[in-house]
Structures are given as C-alpha cells and as structure tokens.
Amino acid sequence: MAIPLPWWLTVAAALFAIGLYGVLSRRNAIGVLLGIELMLNAANINLVAFWRHITPQALTGQVFAIFVIGIAAAEAAAGLAIIISAYRRRRTVVVDELDTMRW
Amino acid sequence: MEFIFNLTPLIPLFPLLAFATIVLLTHRHNRLSSSIAIGGIALSTAFGWTLVLATILGGEHAWVEGWQLRVPWLPAGTTVLELGFAVDGFTAAMLFMVPFVCLMIFIYSQGYMKLGQPDQDPRYARFFAYISLFAAGMLGLVVARDLVLLFISWEVMGLCSYLLIGFWSFRRADSEHHIDAAQVVRARQAALKAFITTRIGDVLLFSGIALLYSYTGTLTFRELFRPETLETLQAISLLGMPAVTVIALLVFGGAVGKSAQFPLHVWLPDAMEGPTPVSALIHAATMVAAGVYLVARTLPLFIAGFAVADAPALHWVAVIGAITALLGATIGLAQDDIKRVLAYSTISQLGYMMMGLGLGSLVAGIFHLLTHAFFKALLFLGAGSVIHGVEHGYHAATHGDHAHTEHFSPNDMKMMGGLRHRMPRTFVAYLAGALALVGIVPFAGFWSKDEILAEAFHLWRADGALNLPFWVWLAGTLGAFFTALYMGRQLGLVFWGEPRHAAARHAHESPSSMTVPLLILALFALLFGFVNAPFLGSPLHHFMGDVHEASEVVHAEAIPFNVTVAGISTVLAVAGLLLGWGLYRNYRVGQVEPFRMILGPVFTLLRNKYYIDEFYRWAIIRPVVWLSEFCFNIDDRWIIDPFVDLVGAAGRAASDVARVVDSVVIDRWFVEGTAQLFNAAGRWLRYSETGYVQNYLLVVAVTILLLLGLYLYF
C-alpha cells in the first residue's frame, strides 16, 4: 500500500541536506541556485507528504506546494537574471569573486 | 474768511517738507535742492501773507481774539498734552516779517554758496536743508498757540543754529580757498559755544514751563493769561516771591540765552564763523528775536508779578536790556571784523527790544524787532556781499599765486576801503541799512527806536524822580550815539577812502541773485517804519497792541510822538555818524586808530570785549576743566579703572582654569576617549563580516541546527 510518512520525510531531509551542501560549497553561482531549488523541493515533498497522511480532506498542502513551485520559478528567473548581469559586468559567476561590498 | 486760518499749520510744514525732501531724496542735486528750499519758503510766504491780509481784514476780533486750533498731541494718563496753532494780530505781524526775510535770504544764499560755479560749496544741498529746517522751526514758533509747540520749535532752531554755525567745521584746510586750519577749529568751537551757552537759558525756560504746568495744568497762552490763572500764580509763594515772578524770571532766562543778552551774549559774536546768510537769518533777523518774541508773548506773566511785589521780573528785563544795549554798542566800536561789528550791533539792538518790553510796552519792543529784522538782515547780507567781492578781488589780485603766505582775512575792515565805487548796488543797500540802524528820519529804525525811547521818557516824566525809566532812557540814548559812531566808523572804513589792500582794489560787484534781495530789503528798511509812524496814527498799535488785553494786566496805549526825545536822539545819531565817518574815512594801514587815541586804555578794554570771555574762562571753564580732570583721575587712574582691570584679571585667571578643564577632561577624556573606544571596537568586529554570502548562510544553518538541538534536548 502506501509508503509510510517517515520514508518521505527521510527522503525530503536527505534532499534538503544535499541542497544545503550544494548552496554552501558550490563556488559557481548557478550551482548555488540549483542547491536552493533542491531545498525548495525538499520542502515541497514534506508539504505533499503531510497532506497525504494527515489532512487528506483539505487541499492546503497541495495548494501550498503549487505556490512554492511558482515562487521558485520566479526566484530562479530573478536569480539567473542577476547572475547574467553580474557576469556581464565582472566576467565571472564565482561567488567568492563578487566581493564589491566586502571591507 | 475764517476758513483761511485753517491753513496756518501748513506755514511751518512747507519748509519742513522741503527739509525732508532734500535730506532724503534730492541731496545729490544741488540746483534742485535749493529750488525746493526756495519753493517751500515761497509757499510759506504766500500763505503767511494771505493770513496777514485775512487778519487785517478780520477787524478787531481777529486782531485781539484771533483764531486757534487744538491738536491733542501726547496723551499722558488722564491728561492730554495739547499743542496747537493760533493767529492773532501779534502773530500776524511776525508772519509778515519772518517768511519774507527767510525768502530773501534763501535766494541770496544761492548766490553766496556759489551755485554752479567751480568753487561751489561742497555741502551746498545740505545747507539748504538746514536753513529749511530752521525756517520751519521759526515759523512754528510764531504760530504756536502754547508753550509746547513754542518750546519744540525753540529747540529745533537751537539745533539748526548749532549745525549752521559749525557748517564749515568739516572743511579741509586749503590754501587755494584761504581756509586755514585755525578757522575750521574756530567754527567747531563757536558751534559748541553757542549750543552750550543757549542751553543754559533753555534749561531755565524748561524749568519755567514745568512750573507753569504743575501749577496751572495748562500751557496754552490764552488760558495761562486769564485773570483767574494769573491771580492763582500770584497767590502761590515760591522762594519768598510770588510764583509768577519766579516763572517769569525763568522764562526770561531762556530769552537771555536765545537773544544773546548779557551775561549770556558771548556766543553770538563767535557764531559769525558760520556762512553769512546764516548770520543774517538766524543770528540777526529771526532766531535771536525768538527770545524777544517769547518775552512779549508771556508779557502778562512779567507784569502780573508787578502787581503784588515791587521787585518783579519786568524790572530785570529792562535792566538787562539796557546793560546789553550799552555793552554791545560800546564793544562794537573796537572790532575790526565787519561781521563782528554787526554781531555786537545785533546784541545791542536786542537789548533795545528788551528795554521796550521791560517798560511794559509790547508794541515798542516788537516794532523794533520787526524793523531790526529787515535792516539787520540787509546789513548782514550786505556784509556778505562785501566779503564775497573782496574774496574775488583777492583771487584776481594774486592770480592764483598761492605762494602768498601773508595773512589775509576777507572780513577785516582795515583791508577794505573805497568799495563804494566798486560795489555800487551793495553800497546803496548797505547805506540804507546803516541809516535805518542808526535811526535817521525816515528810515525804519528811527521810528522803532524812537518809540522805545519815548516810552521810557514818558514813564520818567510821569513819575518825575530819577527812576528806572530814566536810566533806561539814558542808556538807550547813549547807546544810540555809540551805534551811530560804530556804523560811521564801519562805513568810513569799508566804503570810503582809498583801498588799503590789493583785494579791495580788485573787488567787484556780486551777482544779482545777491544784490536783488539786498535792494528789496533796502526798500523795507526805508519804508517799513511807517507801519507804526505816529503821524499815521500808529497803525501797528491798533493791530497788535491789545492781544494781552484779556489778561487785564497789560494795557497798551500809544505814546504820542515826543519832539524832545526824537530831537536828542537824531542829533546824537547824526553827530556820531559824522564823527565816526570823519575819523575813519582816510584811515591808513599802520596808523594808530583814531578811537584808540581818543579813548586810550578804554579802547583796549572794548577791543577785548570787557574781558568777559576771559572772565568766563577763568571763573567757569577752568573749574570745569579741573573738575573733569579730577573725575578723569578718579575714573581712569585711581579707582574705577584699576578696579575694572582687577575684575578683568580675575576673569582671565578663571577662564585659564576653565580652559585647562575643558581641554583635558572634556576634550581628551570624554570626547576623544569615546571616539577611540568605538574605533577600536569596530576594528576588531569587522573580521566577523567576511562578505561571503555562503559564510553567512553557513552561520545561519549552524545556528539553526544548534537551536534545534537545544530545543530537542530540553
């Protein structure tokens, strides 16, 4: 029958950890963006899993997930735009080298 | 007709507006400024003469009661200090003379101050502003209904007198125009002397006005001179005298200062340092007559004292007048400066006016005031014309050669001579003025001087004993002789004989803006006496004699013409004139003066003006200088200044301490210390801010994990 809730949560936690690792360790800004996407989707898995196992009669979990997907798309668009703009100016997308604001 | 009198306040207003316009707007434009001044005074003359005509036509009521206008001026608590304008026969008589003489002198000034010529006076416009203000003051005084407006105008004139006597005190010493530094200093000192000397009189006058107001609560002439008011003032005792006598003496003190009566006469001769039109206008015709006018206006006060006690103010007026008349006439015998002779003559003639008033005769005093204004203005303007001509002669003689260092004064009569050929129009006018002053029939001075002497003679004969009027008559008659003597000397020195200096040889007639006013005034000097000639029925007597009738103490009646008096004074006048003229006509430079040969040491006494100036220097100025030196020492050397220095030193010491506290404790510890603390903190803390986004995120993640761990653990 259905896969029990802890399994979902384990997968989601693993995905989140992978995403976080990517965000913290990648030097390429696009990689950082990819990590963020992973973390958002980990959260989506949790939302859908909790909906399915705890409040199947209400649609809030699903609706919330759809919102997150939409916002993630927007975020990716904005993030990529910033990266392209930074690349045009600085000829690099390595986050360590974008240090204008540093003391 | 009555409505015409509502124009009265405009009469002093026109010159006042001219003054304001010149000072505020047009002072850069000379011709415009003098035209405005002349226009203002011409309007005043027109209005003034209209009023005179209206008063004459108004009949008895207009002459005695007159017209008046009240203006609430200064509300003070429950009372309102009022000032106002009034016109009666007396005012009208003055209004005939004052604006007209002013107008003549204004026109003359245009020529005298050399309008449009290369050596035009640098402060030309200002001169016309000053004399306009002066005219406003004099006209205000004449139309005043009360002592408030009178005193204000009085002080305005005092100010103008000061400004105009010192008018040339701002000139630079300049050999081209023979202005030496000493002359500039003299002008300054003369201005101060006039101001301070008249101030003594002004303080007395003001005290008198204050006393009057405190006793009666009014300063309006008509109300003051009501019989009830005068009786109240007689009943009050002050300093052992009736209050009215004290007040009258104080008012007379003011007149003594303004009209240059002994012992305050010393300022007037020095005032001749001013421009000559000023001498004519202020120090001969109008301002000095203001003192006489004041006494005449307040005559009931003087006479009211007479009624209760027999040592009253009126006697003092007569005595001072007689002393002054003789004193001035005798000093005039020994002066060399053409203007100074006229100045002493003015002092002496003002003494005559006071004599007339002191005998209780309003008309005699004022009649002489009016005629004197015409012929003395004429004489001064004539003298100005002579000086002007001689100055030009000096220029022509030296051909601009300024290497000349010899002393030359254009005023010195001994440098003149023979001018009757070179300045014929001035000579004719001057002769008319001199004959009027000396009192030769039918010139104006004859009628007016004769009236004073006849009044004295009449009062003497009425009593019989050797009373005061006898001595007054004697002084007046002797004075008339001396007057003729010094005028004869002056005419002889200036107009007859040979020129005694190159300047006089090259002198020429003045421009017509100067000679035309002279000739007009000469006409008045000849004819004006007839306004009160006895054979015409003494018209002036009827016109203004009764203005004090309401006070019930002044009773004016025309004295009949007295052949004895007129005969004696005419014989003495002709004798004096011929003697002076004969002795000086052929005077030569270096010769001992004829008068010195006749009078000996007395001449030295006269030449030094009875040493009155020296006496004042010794008795008043020296103690004042001592006192001020003493005060200076107390202030500067002994007490005040050392104390001030001590306070200053203490202040410096205290501020030194404060400075150390401020720089060390406040600045170094608090202000700079705080800044350094934050600086150091910032230097250490900035290492936490790496600027790498991933570092921050790592911190966030670790913190969340720690917090989560803590949450789960507890």
Side-chain angles (χ1 to χ4, degrees), chain B residues 309-338:
Chain B
D310 198 41
L314 201 63
H315 281 168
W316 278 102
V317 178
V319 169
I320 293 287
I323 293 176
T324 310
L326 262 183
L327 182 100
T330 47
I331 296 177
L333 291 174
Q335 302 301 315
D336 284 345
D337 185 318
I338 183 171

Side-chain angles (χ1 to χ4, degrees), chain B residues 4-15:
Chain B
I4 290 181
F5 288 101
N6 291 322
L7 302 174
T8 309
L10 292 178
I11 294 176
L13 193 66
F14 288 126

Side-chain angles (χ1 to χ4, degrees), chain B residues 35-297:
Chain B
S35 305
I36 288 172
I38 291 172
I41 197 70
L43 279 174
S44 293
T45 311
F47 279 61
W49 282 18
T50 312
L51 288 188
V52 173
L53 197 65
T55 311
I56 292 173
L57 297 178
E60 196 84 28
H61 179 75
W63 304 347
V64 179
E65 290 300 321
W67 164 94
Q68 45 185 318
L69 173 73
R70 294 164 56 204
V71 184
W73 176 54
L74 194 69
T78 52
T79 59
V80 176
L81 207 51
E82 287 180 346
L83 52 75
F85 302 88
V87 178
D88 54 21
F90 183 15
T91 296
M94 295 294 286
L95 272 182
F96 178 76
M97 180 276 282
V98 172
F100 177 68
V101 171
C102 286
L103 177 64
M104 288 298 110
I105 291 170
F106 278 35
I107 294 171
Y108 173 95
S109 301
Q110 237 185 350
Y112 190 83
M113 302 309 265
K114 301 168 184 160
L115 174 67
Q117 287 177 33
D119 54 348
Q120 174 182 323
D121 197 278
R123 305 201 309 157
Y124 181 89
R126 186 183 296 246
F127 179 81
F128 279 89
Y130 288 166
I131 57 176
S132 289
L133 180 61
F134 168 80
M138 187 66 203
L139 292 167
L141 179 113
V142 170
V143 297
R145 162 182 166 269
D146 43 52
L147 284 164
V148 182
L149 184 57
L150 186 140
F151 190 73
I152 294 171
S153 313
W154 182 274
E155 291 297 334
V156 166
M157 288 195 294
L159 170 71
C160 292
S161 171
Y162 167 76
L163 291 173
L164 286 164
I165 294 170
F167 189 72
W168 281 335
S169 68
F170 298 93
R171 294 204 292 195
R172 294 229 179 82
D174 175 359
S175 64
E176 191 179 341
H177 301 106
H178 27 262
I179 302 164
D180 50 16
Q183 200 180 345
V184 175
V185 172
R186 279 207 307 278
R188 196 170 303 156
Q189 286 175 344
L192 275 177
K193 187 173 177 181
F195 198 69
I196 294 169
T197 313
T198 49
R199 188 78 13 216
I200 298 171
D202 293 353
V203 169
L204 297 178
L205 171 59
F206 191 75
S207 325
I209 293 176
L211 276 179
L212 265 184
Y213 191 69
S214 67
Y215 286 140
T216 65
T218 176
L219 290 174
T220 311
F221 297 128
R222 296 239 169 252
E223 290 171 33
L224 281 176
F225 302 151
R226 279 197 309 231
E228 311 84 273
T229 320
L230 289 175
E231 271 162 29
T232 322
L233 284 174
Q234 284 169 1
I236 303 168
S237 174
L238 187 69
L239 304 171
M241 285 183 272
V244 68
T245 306
V246 177
I247 291 168
L249 284 174
L250 288 171
V251 170
F252 183 54
V256 165
K258 207 66 154 185
S259 286
Q261 297 293 293
F262 176 81
L264 296 182
H265 66 281
V266 288
W267 66 270
L268 186 59
D270 288 12
M272 298 301 125
E273 293 300 336
T276 305
V278 170
S279 311
L281 176 64
I282 301 185
H283 306 121
T286 51
M287 186 189 82
V288 288
V292 178
Y293 176 84
L294 175 68
V295 173
R297 232 339 145 194

Side-chain angles (χ1 to χ4, degrees), chain B residues 467-491:
Chain B
N467 52 6
L468 183 71
F470 167 72
W471 296 109
V472 168
W473 173 75
L474 192 65
T477 309
L478 275 178
F481 174 67
F482 290 131
T483 306
L485 205 54
Y486 66 69
M487 280 319 286
R489 172 176 181 263
Q490 188 176 51
L491 288 173

Side-chain angles (χ1 to χ4, degrees), chain B residues 488-523:
Chain B
R489 172 176 181 263
Q490 188 176 51
L491 288 173
L493 277 175
V494 174
F495 291 106
W496 266 273
E498 291 301 311
R500 284 179 292 273
H501 190 280
R505 204 167 301 125
H506 291 86
H508 62 78
E509 186 61 280
S510 301
S512 55
S513 65
M514 290 165 74
T515 51
V516 169
L518 280 180
L519 294 173
I520 295 174
L521 284 172
L523 204 62

Side-chain angles (χ1 to χ4, degrees), chain A residues 23-24 26 32 95 102-103, chain B residues 686 689-690 694 697-698:
Chain A
V23 169
L24 290 179
R26 295 297 298 210
V32 174
V95 286
R102 203 165 170 257
W103 46 270
Chain B
R686 73 175 174 183
E689 304 295 307
T690 60
Q694 288 166 323
L697 195 60
L698 184 61

